[in-house]
Amino acid sequence: MHVICVLSDYGTESVYVAELIGAIKKINPNAEVLSLMNNISRQNIFEGAFLLRSIAKEYPEGSIFICIVDPGVGTKRAPIIVETSKHVFIGPDNGLLYLAAKEEGIKDIYIIDTELLPERKISKTFHGRDIFAIAAAILSLGYKPSFIGNKIERIEKIDIPKALVKNSSIEGKIIYIDSFGNLITNISIDDIRLANFEKEKELEVIFKDRELTFTLPFKEVYAEVDVGKPLLLIDSFDLLEIAVNKGNAKEYFSANIMENVIIKKQWK
């Protein structure tokens, strides 16, 4: 049996998630449905794509992901199914599915033909329940995507901006702020190694847009600095994170998503 996994920006206690699961259960009462994460920042397609890529890695092959961050719901953007070498992703063709699908290896892409779905009224503002959930339920019964869709050749793309490694600095961005307030950048462990920063004890962090500079210790775990003190580390995404031990780095630095940061070696 295929596991159906739901990721959305609907909200943790949303009635919309409950209705979506109910729509699945009407078609396949035995479906195992996991409500994974429904607090993606509202309408933030990039955040959803970034987190989906990370989350999908941990789920068994054959899992079906319903992914909904869909500010264009009801417009001409297509409802699609993407088959990869590991999973099936269902959602709007707005870039949301691309990072995860690309990493796993895209096999086939289908546009969902709503005429092939069981007859029901389709709300122009709730495709999560009326299209994506129905498609996932049908696939969970063992049907192939071609049963309810037509193959297409392209998918809307979205990419993580690349950090720029220079002789003595790395220029990047804050691409995600987690529920603890940790600031996750697009600066990878490979960027750190390329800049020869890996063995540095301290690094300068410049919030470029606000011209603010801090010298922060570069550690392996949060507890290596005193409570309430800031630090840098490589996190579980293998990205450079700006954090505060038992604190909130977003509040500490008054930081924002997509803010530009520069990391420099501290010259003595």
Side-chain angles (χ1 to χ4, degrees):
M1 183 182 295
H2 300 286
V3 176
I4 298 176
C5 306
V6 182
L7 178 144
S8 78
D9 64 350
Y10 286 160
T12 305
E13 302 298 329
S14 171
V15 64
Y16 303 124
V17 178
E19 290 186 35
L20 184 155
I21 293 173
I24 294 170
K25 290 288 189 175
K26 274 186 178 179
I27 293 173
N28 184 0
N30 297 317
E32 182 181 1
V33 185
L34 304 179
S35 181
L36 301 185
M37 183 177 188
N38 293 293
N39 59 344
I40 301 296
S41 297
R42 299 295 168 83
Q43 304 182 351
N44 191 329
I45 297 168
F46 176 86
E47 181 180 304
F50 172 72
L51 294 177
L52 175 62
R53 184 184 69 166
S54 179
I55 290 168
K57 295 175 184 177
E58 304 301 329
Y59 282 80
E61 290 192 15
S63 297
I64 299 167
F65 288 85
I66 303 174
C67 313
I68 309 160
V69 181
D70 195 13
V73 62
T75 67
K76 291 183 178 180
R77 70 94 190 92
I80 62 171
I81 301 168
V82 184
E83 272 191 309
T84 75
S85 60
K86 295 181 179 179
H87 300 122
V88 175
F89 298 94
I90 301 171
D93 186 21
N94 60 9
L96 179 64
L97 310 182
Y98 180 67
L99 292 179
K102 177 186 176 185
E103 182 153 308
E104 294 185 2
I106 296 172
K107 291 173 62 180
D108 291 303
I109 309 164
Y110 298 84
I111 184 169
I112 298 170
D113 185 344
T114 56
E115 297 295 322
L116 298 177
L117 300 180
E119 185 175 348
R120 67 178 287 148
K121 181 180 178 181
I122 296 177
S123 167
K124 290 184 179 180
T125 62
F126 200 178
H127 287 184
R129 177 193 64 194
D130 297 335
I131 297 178
F132 304 139
I134 304 306
I138 290 169
L139 297 187
S140 75
L141 290 170
Y143 292 95
K144 300 295 184 184
S146 57
F147 184 71
I148 54 172
N150 302 304
K151 193 176 288 189
I152 57 176
E153 297 300 322
R154 65 171 300 278
I155 182 174
E156 191 70 28
K157 297 179 180 179
I158 196 169
D159 284 305
I160 297 175
K162 292 187 180 297
L164 179 61
V165 180
K166 297 184 176 181
N167 290 335
S168 59
S169 68
I170 308 173
E171 295 188 14
K173 289 179 180 290
I174 298 167
I175 59 171
Y176 176 55
I177 300 177
D178 70 14
S179 58
F180 292 96
N182 298 318
L183 311 177
I184 290 86
T185 75
N186 62 338
I187 299 171
S188 71
I189 189 170
D190 291 333
D191 295 326
I192 293 292
R193 288 169 178 160
L194 186 59
N196 292 317
F197 288 176
E198 192 175 14
K199 295 182 179 179
E200 293 298 313
K201 302 296 184 185
E202 292 183 324
L203 290 167
E204 282 191 5
V205 178
I206 302 168
F207 292 86
K208 184 178 178 181
D209 305 324
R210 294 179 286 143
E211 298 182 340
L212 295 176
T213 301
F214 299 85
T215 300
L216 301 183
F218 188 23
K219 301 293 186 180
E220 293 187 352
V221 297
Y222 305 105
E224 287 187 271
V225 300
D226 292 338
V227 172
K229 296 297 183 180
L231 70 151
L232 296 168
L233 51 71
I234 300 297
D235 63 15
S236 61
F237 296 112
D238 280 337
L239 297 173
L240 187 71
E241 179 180 302
I242 305 167
V244 174
N245 183 22
K246 295 187 178 179
N248 187 310
K250 174 178 169 55
E251 296 175 359
Y252 187 100
F253 294 103
S254 300
N256 294 299
I257 291 282
M258 290 302 169
E259 188 168 352
N260 294 300
V261 292
I262 299 172
I263 308 299
K264 283 187 172 183
K265 185 181 294 187
Q266 188 182 31
W267 299 104
K268 297 179 181 179

